[in-house]
């Protein structure tokens, strides 16, 4: 399954660093809302702790 970023939140997604965007996209996530994006970012932070 490929990752998906909804046009509704694409501007927020595009404001992230290229490394962070790549990390998110490699996770094969479906991002429809800002909450979806925040959830993935929280997972990344938890893994880095």
């Amino acid at each position: 399954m490929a990752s998906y970023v909804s046009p509704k939140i694409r501007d927020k997604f595009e404001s992230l660093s290229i490394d962070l965007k790549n990390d998110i996209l490699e996770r094969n996530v479906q991002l429809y809302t800002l909450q979806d994006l925040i959830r993935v970012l929280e997972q990344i932070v938890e893994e880095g702790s």
Side-chain angles (χ1 to χ4, degrees):
M1 170 176 36
S3 288
Y4 172 78
V5 180
S6 170
K8 292 180 182 180
I9 63 165
R10 185 162 299 274
D11 60 329
K12 302 287 188 210
F13 179 79
E14 291 299 332
S15 72
L16 302 172
S17 72
I18 188 71
D19 291 335
L20 192 50
K21 289 190 286 191
N22 286 338
D23 191 356
I24 292 168
L25 294 175
E26 288 172 3
R27 294 168 181 265
N28 296 322
V29 293
Q30 306 296 302
L31 304 175
Y32 294 99
T33 67
L34 188 54
Q35 284 303 107
D36 293 338
L37 178 57
I38 291 169
R39 189 176 324 109
V40 174
L41 292 171
E42 288 174 340
Q43 290 172 357
I44 292 169
V45 169
E46 287 175 12
E47 290 170 8
S49 299

